[in-house]
Amino acid sequence: MAARFLLPALALAGSAVAATCSGTTTITNQAQATQLSSCQQWTGDIVIAGSAAGEIDLNGLQRIDGSLIAKNIGKLTTFTADSLSTISDTFQMIDVTALTTLTFPSLVAVDTINWQGLSSLQGLQFTQSVQKATNVQIVNTQLSSLDGIDLNEAAILILADNTFLNSVNMKLTNVTNALGFANNGPQLEISLPNLKAANNVAFRNVSSVSIPSLSQVTGSLGFYSSYFTTLSAANLSTVAMTLAVVGNPHLTSASFPLLTAVGGGVQIANNTALTNVDGFKKLSKVFGAVDMFGTFTSVALPALNYVKGAFYLLSSGDLGNSCTRFDSLHSSSAIRGSYECQGGQAGASTKGGSDGNSTSGGSSSSSSSGHSGATSLIIPYTTGFIGVVAAIFGML
Ligand SMILES: *[C@@H]1O[C@H](CO)[C@@H](O)[C@H](O)[C@H]1NC(C)=O
Ligand SMILES: *[C@@H]1O[C@H](CO)[C@@H](O)[C@H](O)[C@H]1NC(C)=O
Ligand SMILES: *[C@@H]1O[C@H](CO)[C@@H](O)[C@H](O)[C@H]1NC(C)=O
Ligand SMILES: *[C@@H]1O[C@H](CO)[C@@H](O)[C@H](O)[C@H]1NC(C)=O
Ligand SMILES: *[C@@H]1O[C@H](CO)[C@@H](O)[C@H](O)[C@H]1NC(C)=O
Protein backbone atom coordinates (compact mmCIF):
# COMPACT_ATOMS: atom_id res chain seq x y z
CA MET A 1 0.00 0.00 0.00
CA ALA A 2 2.67 2.39 1.03
CA ALA A 3 4.62 1.78 -2.20
CA ARG A 4 1.69 3.09 -4.24
CA PHE A 5 2.16 6.48 -2.69
CA LEU A 6 5.92 6.47 -2.73
CA LEU A 7 6.37 7.22 -6.39
CA PRO A 8 4.18 10.31 -6.65
CA ALA A 9 5.64 11.60 -3.39
CA LEU A 10 9.15 11.27 -4.78
CA ALA A 11 8.13 12.84 -8.05
CA LEU A 12 6.65 15.71 -6.12
CA ALA A 13 9.76 16.09 -4.06
CA GLY A 14 11.84 16.03 -7.25
CA SER A 15 9.84 18.75 -8.91
CA ALA A 16 9.87 20.77 -5.72
CA VAL A 17 13.67 20.71 -5.77
CA ALA A 18 13.77 21.83 -9.38
CA ALA A 19 11.28 24.56 -8.58
CA THR A 20 13.14 25.81 -5.53
CA CYS A 21 14.33 29.00 -7.09
CA SER A 22 14.16 31.12 -4.02
CA GLY A 23 16.02 32.25 -0.95
CA THR A 24 19.33 34.00 -0.58
CA THR A 25 21.99 32.28 -2.60
CA THR A 26 25.69 33.00 -2.77
CA ILE A 27 27.59 32.29 -5.94
CA THR A 28 31.28 31.67 -5.76
CA ASN A 29 31.96 30.14 -9.16
CA GLN A 30 30.49 29.43 -12.57
CA ALA A 31 29.29 25.94 -11.63
CA GLN A 32 27.01 27.46 -9.01
CA ALA A 33 25.87 30.12 -11.47
CA THR A 34 25.01 27.43 -14.00
CA GLN A 35 22.85 25.65 -11.42
CA LEU A 36 20.59 28.69 -11.40
CA SER A 37 20.01 28.45 -15.12
CA SER A 38 17.11 26.04 -14.62
CA CYS A 39 15.33 28.89 -12.85
CA GLN A 40 13.74 31.47 -15.07
CA GLN A 41 12.80 33.45 -12.04
CA TRP A 42 14.62 33.71 -8.73
CA THR A 43 12.79 34.94 -5.65
CA GLY A 44 15.26 36.30 -3.14
CA ASP A 45 18.72 37.78 -3.33
CA ILE A 46 21.59 36.52 -5.42
CA VAL A 47 24.95 37.43 -3.95
CA ILE A 48 28.22 37.08 -5.81
CA ALA A 49 30.91 36.05 -3.34
CA GLY A 50 34.03 38.10 -2.76
CA SER A 51 36.13 35.20 -3.99
CA ALA A 52 34.44 35.01 -7.41
CA ALA A 53 37.01 35.36 -10.16
CA GLY A 54 37.09 35.66 -13.94
CA GLU A 55 33.64 35.38 -15.46
CA ILE A 56 30.27 34.78 -13.86
CA ASP A 57 27.42 34.16 -16.27
CA LEU A 58 23.88 33.99 -14.91
CA ASN A 59 22.73 32.34 -18.07
CA GLY A 60 19.01 31.52 -18.37
CA LEU A 61 17.72 33.64 -15.53
CA GLN A 62 15.01 36.05 -16.66
CA ARG A 63 13.87 37.73 -13.52
CA ILE A 64 15.10 38.30 -9.99
CA ASP A 65 12.43 39.12 -7.44
CA GLY A 66 14.97 40.50 -5.05
CA SER A 67 18.44 41.97 -5.32
CA LEU A 68 21.59 41.12 -7.21
CA ILE A 69 24.56 41.97 -5.05
CA ALA A 70 28.29 41.98 -5.73
CA LYS A 71 30.51 43.60 -3.11
CA ASN A 72 34.23 43.78 -2.45
CA ILE A 73 35.31 41.53 -5.27
CA GLY A 74 38.83 41.94 -6.60
CA LYS A 75 39.04 39.30 -9.32
CA LEU A 76 35.70 39.28 -11.13
CA THR A 77 36.35 40.64 -14.61
CA THR A 78 33.21 39.73 -16.56
CA PHE A 79 29.65 39.63 -15.30
CA THR A 80 26.99 38.44 -17.71
CA ALA A 81 23.25 37.72 -17.64
CA ASP A 82 21.99 37.29 -21.19
CA SER A 83 18.29 36.82 -20.50
CA LEU A 84 17.80 38.80 -17.32
CA SER A 85 15.21 41.49 -17.94
CA THR A 86 14.12 42.52 -14.46
CA ILE A 87 15.60 42.97 -10.99
CA SER A 88 12.71 43.91 -8.75
CA ASP A 89 14.88 45.36 -5.98
CA THR A 90 18.53 46.49 -6.08
CA PHE A 91 21.34 45.85 -8.51
CA GLN A 92 24.20 46.63 -6.18
CA MET A 93 27.86 46.49 -7.12
CA ILE A 94 30.30 48.01 -4.70
CA ASP A 95 34.06 47.85 -5.05
CA VAL A 96 34.13 45.29 -7.81
CA THR A 97 37.45 46.64 -8.87
CA ALA A 98 38.55 44.41 -11.74
CA LEU A 99 35.22 44.32 -13.55
CA THR A 100 35.74 45.37 -17.16
CA THR A 101 32.79 43.75 -18.92
CA LEU A 102 29.19 44.02 -17.80
CA THR A 103 26.87 42.32 -20.26
CA PHE A 104 23.16 42.46 -19.46
CA PRO A 105 21.68 42.80 -22.94
CA SER A 106 18.06 42.12 -21.90
CA LEU A 107 17.93 44.22 -18.75
CA VAL A 108 15.15 46.80 -18.94
CA ALA A 109 13.80 47.23 -15.41
CA VAL A 110 15.49 47.59 -12.02
CA ASP A 111 14.19 49.30 -8.93
CA THR A 112 17.56 50.59 -7.72
CA ILE A 113 20.96 50.72 -9.34
CA ASN A 114 23.65 51.33 -6.74
CA TRP A 115 27.13 51.09 -8.21
CA GLN A 116 30.21 52.41 -6.51
CA GLY A 117 33.88 51.76 -6.96
CA LEU A 118 33.76 49.94 -10.29
CA SER A 119 37.19 51.25 -11.00
CA SER A 120 37.85 49.31 -14.22
CA LEU A 121 34.41 49.55 -15.82
CA GLN A 122 34.44 51.70 -18.95
CA GLY A 123 31.18 50.76 -20.67
CA LEU A 124 27.90 48.88 -20.39
CA GLN A 125 26.71 46.17 -22.74
CA PHE A 126 23.06 46.79 -22.08
CA THR A 127 21.63 46.31 -25.57
CA GLN A 128 18.00 46.96 -24.68
CA SER A 129 18.81 49.69 -22.16
CA VAL A 130 17.37 50.01 -18.71
CA GLN A 131 14.17 51.95 -19.28
CA LYS A 132 12.71 51.76 -15.80
CA ALA A 133 14.55 52.44 -12.59
CA THR A 134 13.42 54.35 -9.54
CA ASN A 135 16.80 55.14 -8.00
CA VAL A 136 20.11 55.25 -9.78
CA GLN A 137 23.39 56.21 -8.27
CA ILE A 138 26.62 55.57 -10.08
CA VAL A 139 29.71 56.70 -8.24
CA ASN A 140 33.39 56.25 -8.95
CA THR A 141 33.48 54.25 -12.16
CA GLN A 142 35.38 54.71 -15.40
CA LEU A 143 32.21 54.85 -17.48
CA SER A 144 32.56 57.27 -20.35
CA SER A 145 28.88 57.23 -21.23
CA LEU A 146 25.61 56.00 -19.82
CA ASP A 147 24.60 54.28 -23.04
CA GLY A 148 22.51 51.40 -21.72
CA ILE A 149 20.55 53.45 -19.18
CA ASP A 150 17.83 55.61 -20.64
CA LEU A 151 15.07 56.42 -18.19
CA ASN A 152 11.79 58.19 -18.71
CA GLU A 153 11.50 59.12 -15.09
CA ALA A 154 13.28 58.48 -11.83
CA ALA A 155 13.09 59.38 -8.18
CA ILE A 156 16.84 59.70 -7.77
CA LEU A 157 19.62 59.99 -10.32
CA ILE A 158 23.06 60.70 -8.88
CA LEU A 159 26.23 60.56 -10.94
CA ALA A 160 29.45 61.42 -9.14
CA ASP A 161 33.17 60.81 -9.39
CA ASN A 162 32.94 59.15 -12.77
CA THR A 163 35.95 61.03 -14.01
CA PHE A 164 35.73 59.84 -17.62
CA LEU A 165 32.03 60.61 -17.99
CA ASN A 166 31.82 63.41 -20.51
CA SER A 167 28.33 63.02 -21.88
CA VAL A 168 24.89 62.37 -20.46
CA ASN A 169 21.90 62.51 -22.72
CA MET A 170 18.65 61.07 -21.41
CA LYS A 171 15.00 61.28 -22.31
CA LEU A 172 14.07 61.82 -18.65
CA THR A 173 10.90 63.83 -18.19
CA ASN A 174 10.53 63.87 -14.44
CA VAL A 175 12.82 63.39 -11.43
CA THR A 176 10.77 63.34 -8.27
CA ASN A 177 13.42 63.39 -5.55
CA ALA A 178 17.00 64.23 -6.48
CA LEU A 179 19.03 64.82 -9.60
CA GLY A 180 22.70 65.43 -8.98
CA PHE A 181 25.99 65.53 -10.85
CA ALA A 182 29.37 66.13 -9.24
CA ASN A 183 32.98 65.66 -10.09
CA ASN A 184 32.52 63.64 -13.25
CA GLY A 185 34.58 64.25 -16.41
CA PRO A 186 35.60 67.88 -16.74
CA GLN A 187 34.04 68.00 -20.21
CA LEU A 188 30.69 66.63 -19.01
CA GLU A 189 27.91 67.84 -21.26
CA ILE A 190 24.46 67.16 -19.89
CA SER A 191 21.50 67.14 -22.18
CA LEU A 192 18.06 66.53 -20.74
CA PRO A 193 15.86 67.78 -23.57
CA ASN A 194 12.59 66.40 -22.17
CA LEU A 195 13.02 67.15 -18.50
CA LYS A 196 9.96 69.09 -17.42
CA ALA A 197 9.79 68.69 -13.68
CA ALA A 198 12.36 68.00 -11.01
CA ASN A 199 12.68 68.26 -7.27
CA ASN A 200 16.20 68.86 -5.89
CA VAL A 201 18.72 69.45 -8.63
CA ALA A 202 22.45 70.13 -8.35
CA PHE A 203 24.96 70.45 -11.15
CA ARG A 204 28.58 70.57 -10.00
CA ASN A 205 31.73 70.61 -12.12
CA VAL A 206 29.94 70.30 -15.43
CA SER A 207 30.85 71.76 -18.77
CA SER A 208 27.37 72.34 -20.17
CA VAL A 209 23.77 71.87 -19.14
CA SER A 210 20.86 71.80 -21.54
CA ILE A 211 17.45 71.85 -19.85
CA PRO A 212 15.25 73.65 -22.37
CA SER A 213 11.95 72.15 -21.19
CA LEU A 214 12.43 72.32 -17.45
CA SER A 215 9.46 74.23 -16.23
CA GLN A 216 9.12 73.51 -12.51
CA VAL A 217 11.58 72.75 -9.78
CA THR A 218 9.78 71.68 -6.62
CA GLY A 219 12.94 71.76 -4.45
CA SER A 220 16.20 73.63 -4.95
CA LEU A 221 18.19 74.16 -8.13
CA GLY A 222 21.92 74.82 -8.04
CA PHE A 223 24.75 75.28 -10.51
CA TYR A 224 28.15 75.15 -8.80
CA SER A 225 31.83 75.14 -9.73
CA SER A 226 31.11 74.58 -13.39
CA TYR A 227 32.92 75.50 -16.57
CA PHE A 228 30.20 76.87 -18.84
CA THR A 229 30.18 80.42 -20.12
CA THR A 230 26.43 80.63 -20.57
CA LEU A 231 23.61 79.17 -18.56
CA SER A 232 20.04 79.07 -19.69
CA ALA A 233 16.81 77.59 -18.35
CA ALA A 234 14.54 78.86 -21.07
CA ASN A 235 11.27 77.42 -19.81
CA LEU A 236 11.73 77.53 -16.07
CA SER A 237 8.93 79.37 -14.32
CA THR A 238 9.26 78.49 -10.64
CA VAL A 239 11.78 77.16 -8.17
CA ALA A 240 10.10 76.20 -4.92
CA MET A 241 13.21 76.46 -2.74
CA THR A 242 16.62 77.98 -3.43
CA LEU A 243 18.11 78.93 -6.77
CA ALA A 244 21.91 79.04 -6.59
CA VAL A 245 24.47 79.97 -9.24
CA VAL A 246 27.75 79.84 -7.35
CA GLY A 247 31.43 79.57 -8.20
CA ASN A 248 31.22 79.30 -11.99
CA PRO A 249 34.34 81.23 -13.01
CA HIS A 250 33.67 81.45 -16.77
CA LEU A 251 30.01 82.33 -16.63
CA THR A 252 29.22 85.53 -18.51
CA SER A 253 25.50 85.13 -19.10
CA ALA A 254 22.70 83.58 -17.03
CA SER A 255 19.29 83.50 -18.62
CA PHE A 256 16.09 82.54 -16.81
CA PRO A 257 13.63 84.47 -18.97
CA LEU A 258 10.38 82.95 -17.65
CA LEU A 259 11.31 82.63 -14.00
CA THR A 260 8.72 84.49 -11.99
CA ALA A 261 8.98 83.19 -8.42
CA VAL A 262 11.56 81.59 -6.15
CA GLY A 263 10.23 80.07 -2.94
CA GLY A 264 13.57 80.19 -1.13
CA GLY A 265 16.65 82.30 -1.68
CA VAL A 266 18.39 83.48 -4.81
CA GLN A 267 22.16 83.16 -4.54
CA ILE A 268 24.39 84.43 -7.28
CA ALA A 269 27.93 84.48 -5.99
CA ASN A 270 31.55 84.01 -6.94
CA ASN A 271 30.96 83.89 -10.67
CA THR A 272 33.90 86.14 -11.32
CA ALA A 273 33.23 86.80 -15.02
CA LEU A 274 29.55 87.59 -14.59
CA THR A 275 29.41 91.37 -14.80
CA ASN A 276 26.00 91.88 -16.28
CA VAL A 277 22.94 90.26 -14.70
CA ASP A 278 20.04 90.85 -17.06
CA GLY A 279 18.56 87.37 -17.52
CA PHE A 280 15.83 87.53 -14.87
CA LYS A 281 13.35 89.76 -16.66
CA LYS A 282 10.21 88.29 -15.05
CA LEU A 283 11.44 87.48 -11.56
CA SER A 284 8.97 89.25 -9.32
CA LYS A 285 8.84 87.38 -6.02
CA VAL A 286 11.53 85.88 -3.84
CA PHE A 287 10.28 84.29 -0.62
CA GLY A 288 13.75 83.89 0.86
CA ALA A 289 16.73 86.23 0.59
CA VAL A 290 18.60 87.61 -2.38
CA ASP A 291 22.37 87.22 -2.03
CA MET A 292 24.36 88.55 -4.93
CA PHE A 293 28.10 88.87 -4.58
CA GLY A 294 30.37 89.40 -7.53
CA THR A 295 32.06 91.67 -10.00
CA PHE A 296 28.81 93.04 -11.35
CA THR A 297 28.66 96.35 -13.14
CA SER A 298 24.99 96.07 -13.97
CA VAL A 299 22.19 94.16 -12.25
CA ALA A 300 18.62 94.48 -13.42
CA LEU A 301 15.69 92.65 -11.87
CA PRO A 302 13.04 94.76 -13.55
CA ALA A 303 10.00 92.81 -12.37
CA LEU A 304 11.08 92.32 -8.76
CA ASN A 305 8.39 93.56 -6.40
CA TYR A 306 8.71 91.38 -3.29
CA VAL A 307 11.59 89.93 -1.30
CA LYS A 308 10.57 88.34 1.97
CA GLY A 309 14.11 88.01 3.33
CA ALA A 310 17.25 90.09 3.13
CA PHE A 311 18.62 91.64 -0.01
CA TYR A 312 22.39 91.87 -0.45
CA LEU A 313 23.89 93.04 -3.69
CA LEU A 314 27.60 93.62 -3.22
CA SER A 315 30.02 94.04 -6.08
CA SER A 316 33.71 94.71 -6.45
CA GLY A 317 32.76 96.68 -9.56
CA ASP A 318 30.97 99.95 -10.05
CA LEU A 319 27.26 99.15 -10.03
CA GLY A 320 26.34 102.36 -11.83
CA ASN A 321 22.73 103.14 -11.05
CA SER A 322 21.73 99.49 -10.52
CA CYS A 323 20.90 100.15 -6.86
CA THR A 324 18.40 102.92 -7.53
CA ARG A 325 15.49 100.58 -8.08
CA PHE A 326 16.41 98.27 -5.19
CA ASP A 327 16.78 101.27 -2.87
CA SER A 328 13.22 102.22 -3.61
CA LEU A 329 11.97 98.64 -3.17
CA HIS A 330 13.64 98.73 0.22
CA SER A 331 12.14 102.11 1.11
CA SER A 332 8.69 100.89 0.20
CA SER A 333 9.21 97.69 2.24
CA ALA A 334 8.84 95.50 -0.83
CA ILE A 335 12.17 94.18 0.39
CA ARG A 336 11.30 93.05 3.90
CA GLY A 337 14.62 91.98 5.39
CA SER A 338 18.01 93.62 5.89
CA TYR A 339 19.25 95.52 2.90
CA GLU A 340 22.52 96.48 1.34
CA CYS A 341 23.33 97.42 -2.24
CA GLN A 342 26.91 98.59 -2.83
CA GLY A 343 29.53 98.64 -5.54
CA GLY A 344 33.25 99.02 -4.95
CA GLN A 345 33.34 96.25 -2.31
CA ALA A 346 36.70 94.60 -2.94
CA GLY A 347 35.86 91.35 -1.10
CA ALA A 348 32.58 90.80 -2.92
CA SER A 349 33.96 89.27 -6.09
CA THR A 350 34.92 85.87 -4.70
CA LYS A 351 32.62 85.71 -1.72
CA GLY A 352 30.91 82.33 -1.71
CA GLY A 353 27.22 81.62 -1.62
CA SER A 354 25.42 79.74 1.11
CA ASP A 355 28.54 77.69 1.87
CA GLY A 356 30.23 80.84 3.17
CA ASN A 357 29.05 83.14 5.92
CA SER A 358 25.51 83.67 4.83
CA THR A 359 24.13 87.11 5.26
CA SER A 360 20.67 85.77 4.64
CA GLY A 361 19.30 86.31 8.11
CA GLY A 362 15.92 87.21 6.67
CA SER A 363 15.69 83.96 4.79
CA SER A 364 16.24 81.70 7.75
CA SER A 365 12.73 80.33 7.59
CA SER A 366 12.90 79.54 3.91
CA SER A 367 16.47 78.33 3.95
CA SER A 368 15.61 75.95 6.74
CA SER A 369 12.72 74.70 4.67
CA GLY A 370 15.22 74.35 1.83
CA HIS A 371 17.27 72.12 4.04
CA SER A 372 14.36 70.06 5.21
CA GLY A 373 13.61 69.50 1.55
CA ALA A 374 17.11 68.22 0.98
CA THR A 375 17.26 66.06 4.07
CA SER A 376 13.92 64.51 3.20
CA LEU A 377 15.69 62.57 0.49
CA ILE A 378 14.75 59.05 1.43
CA ILE A 379 17.81 57.04 0.57
CA PRO A 380 17.80 53.51 1.89
CA TYR A 381 21.36 52.71 0.93
CA THR A 382 24.80 52.67 2.40
CA THR A 383 26.22 55.58 4.29
CA GLY A 384 28.46 56.01 1.26
CA PHE A 385 25.45 57.01 -0.76
CA ILE A 386 24.21 59.40 1.88
CA GLY A 387 27.66 60.98 1.98
CA VAL A 388 27.63 61.52 -1.76
CA VAL A 389 24.14 62.94 -1.77
CA ALA A 390 24.99 65.19 1.16
CA ALA A 391 28.05 66.50 -0.64
CA ILE A 392 26.15 67.12 -3.84
CA PHE A 393 23.29 68.90 -2.16
CA GLY A 394 25.42 70.73 0.36
CA MET A 395 23.73 69.21 3.39
CA LEU A 396 26.88 68.70 5.41
C1 LIG B 1 6.27 63.82 -11.92
O1 LIG B 1 6.04 62.63 -11.21
C2 LIG B 1 5.19 62.79 -10.09
C3 LIG B 1 5.14 61.48 -9.35
O2 LIG B 1 5.04 60.40 -10.23
C4 LIG B 1 3.82 63.25 -10.57
O3 LIG B 1 3.00 63.46 -9.45
C5 LIG B 1 3.97 64.54 -11.34
O4 LIG B 1 2.72 64.91 -11.87
C6 LIG B 1 4.96 64.36 -12.46
N1 LIG B 1 5.15 65.63 -13.13
C7 LIG B 1 5.30 65.73 -14.45
C8 LIG B 1 5.48 67.11 -15.00
O5 LIG B 1 5.28 64.77 -15.18
C1 LIG C 1 33.76 70.53 -7.98
O1 LIG C 1 32.72 71.15 -7.24
C2 LIG C 1 32.95 71.16 -5.85
C3 LIG C 1 31.71 71.63 -5.17
O2 LIG C 1 31.03 72.62 -5.84
C4 LIG C 1 34.16 72.03 -5.57
O3 LIG C 1 34.40 72.08 -4.20
C5 LIG C 1 35.36 71.45 -6.30
O4 LIG C 1 36.46 72.30 -6.16
C6 LIG C 1 35.06 71.28 -7.79
N1 LIG C 1 36.14 70.57 -8.43
C7 LIG C 1 36.74 71.03 -9.50
C8 LIG C 1 37.82 70.17 -10.07
O5 LIG C 1 36.44 72.10 -10.02
C1 LIG D 1 7.34 75.01 -21.37
O1 LIG D 1 6.50 74.82 -20.24
C2 LIG D 1 5.11 74.77 -20.54
C3 LIG D 1 4.38 74.62 -19.21
O2 LIG D 1 4.74 75.64 -18.34
C4 LIG D 1 4.83 73.62 -21.46
O3 LIG D 1 3.47 73.61 -21.81
C5 LIG D 1 5.69 73.74 -22.71
O4 LIG D 1 5.52 72.60 -23.52
C6 LIG D 1 7.16 73.87 -22.34
N1 LIG D 1 8.00 74.10 -23.50
C7 LIG D 1 9.03 73.30 -23.80
C8 LIG D 1 9.87 73.69 -24.96
O5 LIG D 1 9.27 72.31 -23.17
C1 LIG E 1 35.12 80.98 -5.65
O1 LIG E 1 35.28 80.17 -6.83
C2 LIG E 1 36.61 79.68 -6.98
C3 LIG E 1 36.67 78.93 -8.31
O2 LIG E 1 35.60 79.18 -9.10
C4 LIG E 1 36.94 78.76 -5.83
O3 LIG E 1 38.25 78.29 -5.98
C5 LIG E 1 36.77 79.52 -4.52
O4 LIG E 1 36.95 78.62 -3.46
C6 LIG E 1 35.39 80.14 -4.43
N1 LIG E 1 35.29 80.95 -3.23
C7 LIG E 1 34.39 80.74 -2.28
C8 LIG E 1 34.43 81.65 -1.11
O5 LIG E 1 33.55 79.86 -2.38
C1 LIG F 1 29.51 86.57 9.37
O1 LIG F 1 28.63 87.64 9.17
C2 LIG F 1 28.36 88.39 10.34
C3 LIG F 1 27.28 89.43 10.01
O2 LIG F 1 27.60 90.12 8.83
C4 LIG F 1 29.68 89.04 10.82
O3 LIG F 1 29.45 89.80 12.01
C5 LIG F 1 30.70 87.93 11.10
O4 LIG F 1 31.93 88.50 11.44
C6 LIG F 1 30.88 87.06 9.86
N1 LIG F 1 31.71 85.94 10.19
C7 LIG F 1 32.69 85.54 9.39
C8 LIG F 1 33.46 84.33 9.83
O5 LIG F 1 32.96 86.09 8.32
Side-chain angles (χ1 to χ4, degrees), residues 247-249 270 350-353:
N248 306 288
N270 196 15
T350 57
K351 197 168 156 58

Side-chain angles (χ1 to χ4, degrees), residues 256-261 279-285 302-304:
F256 293 79
L258 301 186
L259 185 65
T260 55
F280 295 86
K281 292 204 162 52
K282 293 197 170 162
L283 181 60
S284 65
K285 295 192 170 22
L304 191 68

Side-chain angles (χ1 to χ4, degrees), residues 95-380:
D95 295 331
V96 184
T97 52
L99 186 71
T100 55
T101 308
L102 188 62
T103 306
F104 283 61
S106 307
L107 191 64
V108 291
V110 180
D111 181 70
T112 295
I113 289 177
N114 179 9
W115 297 345
Q116 302 176 40
L118 307 181
S119 47
S120 304
L121 188 67
Q122 299 183 350
L124 305 175
Q125 272 138 45
F126 284 21
T127 315
Q128 299 212 25
S129 284
V130 175
Q131 314 275 331
K132 277 189 68 159
T134 309
N135 306 307
V136 174
Q137 69 139 347
I138 300 178
V139 176
N140 185 14
T141 74
Q142 288 199 350
L143 291 173
S144 59
S145 89
L146 286 190
D147 289 356
I149 298 179
D150 196 7
L151 309 176
N152 276 313
E153 52 177 64
I156 296 176
L157 175 61
I158 301 289
L159 298 168
D161 300 331
N162 302 292
T163 52
F164 294 88
L165 187 64
N166 284 323
S167 154
V168 170
N169 188 333
M170 267 196 210
K171 60 179 188 237
L172 267 183
T173 58
N174 194 347
V175 182
T176 53
N177 194 335
L179 175 63
F181 299 84
N183 202 28
N184 295 297
Q187 307 300 323
L188 179 57
E189 302 198 339
I190 297 171
S191 178
L192 302 169
N194 303 322
L195 185 66
K196 289 194 161 29
N199 189 349
N200 293 296
V201 185
F203 297 99
R204 296 183 188 266
N205 322 105
V206 308
S207 148
S208 75
V209 175
S210 174
I211 42 172
S213 310
L214 184 61
S215 149
Q216 284 195 5
V217 172
T218 49
S220 292
L221 172 63
F223 304 87
Y224 305 90
S225 310
S226 286
Y227 316 115
F228 39 65
T229 56
T230 62
L231 175 58
S232 164
N235 208 24
L236 183 63
S237 64
T238 55
V239 175
M241 292 176 185
T242 292
L243 172 64
V245 179
V246 174
N248 306 288
H250 307 297
L251 185 67
T252 56
S253 158
S255 170
F256 293 79
L258 301 186
L259 185 65
T260 55
V262 174
V266 173
Q267 297 167 349
I268 301 181
N270 196 15
N271 307 291
T272 43
L274 185 66
T275 52
N276 185 8
V277 178
D278 62 356
F280 295 86
K281 292 204 162 52
K282 293 197 170 162
L283 181 60
S284 65
K285 295 192 170 22
V286 176
F287 294 89
V290 174
D291 282 320
M292 298 180 71
F293 307 119
T295 58
F296 318 116
T297 53
S298 171
V299 174
L301 301 172
L304 191 68
N305 59 30
Y306 179 73
V307 177
K308 185 176 182 192
F311 182 105
Y312 286 91
L313 168 50
L314 301 177
S315 174
S316 58
D318 179 347
L319 277 171
N321 59 7
S322 295
C323 290
T324 311
R325 192 177 133 71
F326 305 126
D327 288 347
S328 67
L329 288 175
H330 175 235
S331 311
S332 68
S333 295
I335 292 172
R336 298 295 176 91
S338 325
Y339 176 77
E340 196 175 354
C341 188
Q342 290 272 358
Q345 303 288 304
S349 62
T350 57
K351 197 168 156 58
S354 59
D355 304 352
N357 185 10
S358 177
T359 53
S360 325
S363 73
S364 57
S365 65
S366 49
S367 63
S368 61
S369 69
H371 274 279
S372 65
T375 47
S376 75
L377 297 173
I378 308 299
I379 297 152

